[in-house]
Every structure is written in structure tokens, then in C-alpha cells.
Amino acid sequence: MSLALAHVAGAGMVRFGKYPADVTLEAMALGAAREALSDAGADLAAVEGLYVGHVFGGPVAGQRIAAQLGLDGRPVSNHENYCASGATAIREAWVALAAGLHDVALVIGVEKMTDRVAGGVRPDPGDLDAAVGYVMAAGHAMSARRYMAEHGATREQIAAVAVKNHAHSVHNPWAQYQKPVTLEQVLGARPIAEPLGLLDCSPISDGAAAVLLCTPAGLRRLGLGTGGPRVLGVGQISGSVQTGLGDLNAEDVSRRAGEEAWRLSGVGPADIDLVEMHDCFTIAEIVRMEGLGLVPRGRGAAWAAEGVTALGGRLPVNPSGGLLSRGHPVGATGAAQVCELTWQLRGTAGGRQVEGARTGLAYCKGGTVNGTDGGSVTTVVMTA
């Protein structure tokens, strides 16, 4: 099943990073939106609906952005789905286009984390995970320990993911970090949750990304001919509460997310040329790629160390630098992944270009369910 009605006509970002308080969430959203519209050669009059993904922006952030952008009065929706918020907004816009509600939709993913997270916001005391010490870093540290014990992977192999992704981001002008790191720097970084250190973890970030999605009719209205890369399918599944010991790295949620992606897009794992993966921690990239069926079980760490998932390798993962190096403003991440796929499939990604890229997948995962296999996963499959 493939609806294949949506084209990415325009993509735009503001550089991810840490911004002072006077750089507002709305200002970043407007900057990304204007870049996407300019990229498409479109103006605001063409936009029929606005979809905004964010987590810390407040209940009507989308409406504030619409008013400042000049889109007030048109349909606006807010999507809070933790780290998958931007990707969820893309899914909802894609569904609206497929349903015939719009021909042109603007999607913005945006987050201002330094004011909220670094500024002292703490987890809800009623959150069971946090109450028992299961913060994200602890969960992924347990995943890394289990992976090393079961598959004979080394700490160096896991750290290779960070080395790879930082090397990629050197060529990404939108990335929060644009300098390479060495294996020794990753291994020697400040410990966060054994065995993971600071450079195994994605940073707190601010930023925004936007895409303009069009049906074929929308493209004709904008005078864009055949348009840009096509969105073949946007799958979404949720995690399930599990009891018992189980397999910490089974990644059933990733398996099911992959199955949904293949079902909706009509392509399979063998068709994927590059992946933008939700690498909130180094080990996360490894186990999620395996869960999707893109990497053999137990080989993800070795593939990273051997360069298989690096630029020039068989299956490049996170040519943008990923969350580890491009940055992770949670509401913006999913939209940024789609921006990167757009540039890659156009062949305009510069020094990080994946040669011959025709089909790509973006995977974004948000939250946990009391420490189980994930809150919500959104997968986007695109083709040139």
C-alpha cells in the first residue's frame, strides 16, 4: 500500500545549538518556515494548513507561530509526541494531503530546550520511570551492557557511532557541533551512566526545521512541475507495556515500525540507501537499526567500527550527524531528519552527500512506557 501523494517542495532549518533567552521558539520557527517557503519558491498565500510539532512550547504554540507568520485564520494543529513530535506533525500533514483536505501544507518542528530543561524543569514527580531512577541515560546504559554481554561487542565499537556521526556533521552547516571527535575523546569523556559517557549522549539543543508538503495538484499550483522527493509512507506505531524480564534489546517496537514503513511505502529494507536514525545515545542507533532489519542482529556495533554505516560505506546512517552531533531539540528532530533526506535525495547535501541515494528512511522515537519498549515511533520513507 502506498499513497505516494506528497512531495517535499521545500525544506529549511535554522542551525541547531544553544540560543540566549531573547531568541524565542517562535522566532526559530519563523526562520525555518521562511527558509522552506523560499526553497520551494512559494509564498504564504499557498499554504492551506499548518502543522507544528513541539514539546515545551505550550498548548497553543502553533497558533502563536501562525499569527506571527501571517497564517492565522487557517487550520493550525499542535503535535506533542515527545521526541517524535516533528515526525508526527509530518505524518498528520501527509494524511491530510492524502485525504484531499489540503494540497499544500507547511510542517514546522521546533523546540527551545535551554530555557526549559537546562533552566531547571524536572520530570513530573508522578512519573514512575524517574521515581525509580529509570532516566533515559540509565536505560540506554543497561542496553549497552546487555548488548556487550550478549554479542561480544566492545566499548570501542559502541563509541565508534559517536566518532562516525561527529565526522559526518563536519559537513553539515545546520549542525550544533561541526568538529570531529576521536575514539579516545569519546572513551575519555565524563561518565554519564556506565558505560556511556558525555559524547555517547545527544545534547540539549534549540532549533527548528520545516518542510512544505504538496500533492501533485499543489505542485502544479506552485508551478513546480514534478516537484521534489516523494514521501512514500509515514508509519506510526506505539510501544507496549511488557512484564517479565524479556530481552532488553529485542526492539520489538523497531521491528513493528519497520513493518509499518514497508507496508505503507511499498519498499523493503534492501531498497534503503541511507537512514536518518534517532541516535539519542550511541547504543540506540545500533539496536534500532538491528530492530528495523537493516543490520544483522548483533552486528550493529561492529558495522559502525568497520565503517559500513559511515559515508562511503554500504549503508550510511546519520549523514547529517544525527542527534549526537546535529543536535536534538526534541520537537524539531523529526522534521530535521526529513530535511536531510530531502537534500540527500536531491543530491545537494555537499560534503555529506550519499552517492547515488534514491530511497531513504527516517526513524524517530519518543518517550518510554514505564521503561518498556518505547512510547511512539514514526518512520518516514522517501524516494527521489
Side-chain angles (χ1 to χ4, degrees):
M1 170 179 158
S2 179
L3 301 179
L5 292 176
H7 293 254
V8 181
M13 288 178 62
V14 297
R15 182 180 174 182
F16 287 4
K18 296 181 187 294
Y19 288 91
D22 60 351
V23 178
T24 65
L25 176 135
E26 292 83 3
M28 291 188 296
L30 266 61
R34 288 168 178 156
E35 287 286 337
L37 289 165
S38 175
D39 184 48
D43 58 31
L44 287 168
V47 177
E48 298 170 329
L50 176 64
Y51 297 78
V52 182
H54 58 91
V55 179
F56 300 113
V60 291
Q63 283 73 9
R64 298 197 309 271
I65 291 165
Q68 294 188 28
L69 192 57
L71 289 175
D72 49 312
R74 282 171 242 189
V76 180
S77 57
N78 294 268
H79 302 275
E80 191 283 294
N81 208 3
Y82 218 69
C83 303
S85 298
T88 300
I90 287 171
R91 172 179 165 80
E92 295 307 308
W94 175 72
V95 170
L97 265 60
L101 296 177
H102 307 309
D103 286 317
V104 181
L106 179 62
V107 182
I108 304 172
V110 61
E111 208 68 74
K112 188 73 189 296
M113 295 181 71
T114 53
D115 294 350
R116 295 297 304 272
V117 179
V121 173
R122 296 291 181 262
D124 184 337
D127 187 316
L128 175 61
D129 295 344
V132 299
Y134 191 93
V135 294
M136 290 290 183
H140 288 279
M142 288 192 289
S143 170
R145 278 293 184 200
R146 180 72 172 264
Y147 189 91
M148 293 164 69
E150 288 190 340
H151 302 297
T154 66
R155 175 70 182 93
E156 288 78 8
Q157 288 175 326
I158 292 173
V161 172
V163 176
K164 168 181 70 72
N165 291 353
H166 277 272
H168 291 172
S169 71
V170 169
H171 306 288
N172 186 355
W174 311 113
Q176 182 167 350
Y177 301 117
Q178 298 177 12
K179 294 182 179 180
V181 299
T182 65
L183 184 62
E184 291 71 27
Q185 286 175 309
V186 179
L187 297 175
R190 174 166 60 89
I192 298 297
E194 183 64 30
L196 305 178
L198 184 64
L199 293 177
D200 290 280
C201 312
S202 57
I204 289 171
S205 313
D206 305 324
V211 294
L212 188 69
L213 297 180
C214 296
T215 64
L219 292 175
R220 291 192 294 271
R221 185 186 308 165
L222 296 176
L224 296 178
T226 57
R230 288 180 295 147
V231 178
L232 294 180
V234 188
Q236 188 172 55
I237 58 98
S238 64
S240 56
V241 178
Q242 298 180 1
T243 59
L245 297 177
D247 182 349
L248 184 63
N249 290 325
E251 281 295 316
D252 175 69
V253 69
S254 297
R255 178 189 60 78
R256 291 185 290 112
E259 289 174 351
E260 182 71 354
W262 317 137
R263 182 184 73 84
L264 289 171
S265 67
V267 303
D271 300 306
I272 301 301
D273 298 315
L274 75 150
V275 178
E276 279 291 303
M277 171 51 66
H278 191 99
D279 59 322
C280 49
F281 297 85
T282 47
I283 187 64
E285 176 176 310
I286 293 166
V287 297
R288 290 168 183 173
M289 289 294 295
E290 293 182 9
L292 285 169
L294 293 169
V295 177
R297 185 77 187 274
R299 292 290 295 159
W303 275 29
E306 294 165 5
V308 180
T309 54
L311 283 169
R314 189 188 321 160
L315 180 61
V317 180
N318 285 324
S320 68
L323 283 60
L324 289 171
S325 194
R326 182 193 61 229
H328 184 30
V330 286
T333 288
Q337 291 177 325
V338 171
C339 286
E340 181 66 21
L341 289 187
T342 299
W343 295 322
Q344 289 285 345
L345 296 174
R346 286 178 180 171
T348 60
R352 65 188 191 281
Q353 179 66 48
V354 176
E355 293 301 322
R358 296 290 302 170
T359 305
L361 177 142
Y363 173 114
C364 214
K365 183 174 183 178
T368 65
V369 181
N370 292 338
T372 64
D373 66 351
S376 180
V377 177
T378 303
T379 48
V380 182
V381 179
M382 293 173 57
T383 187

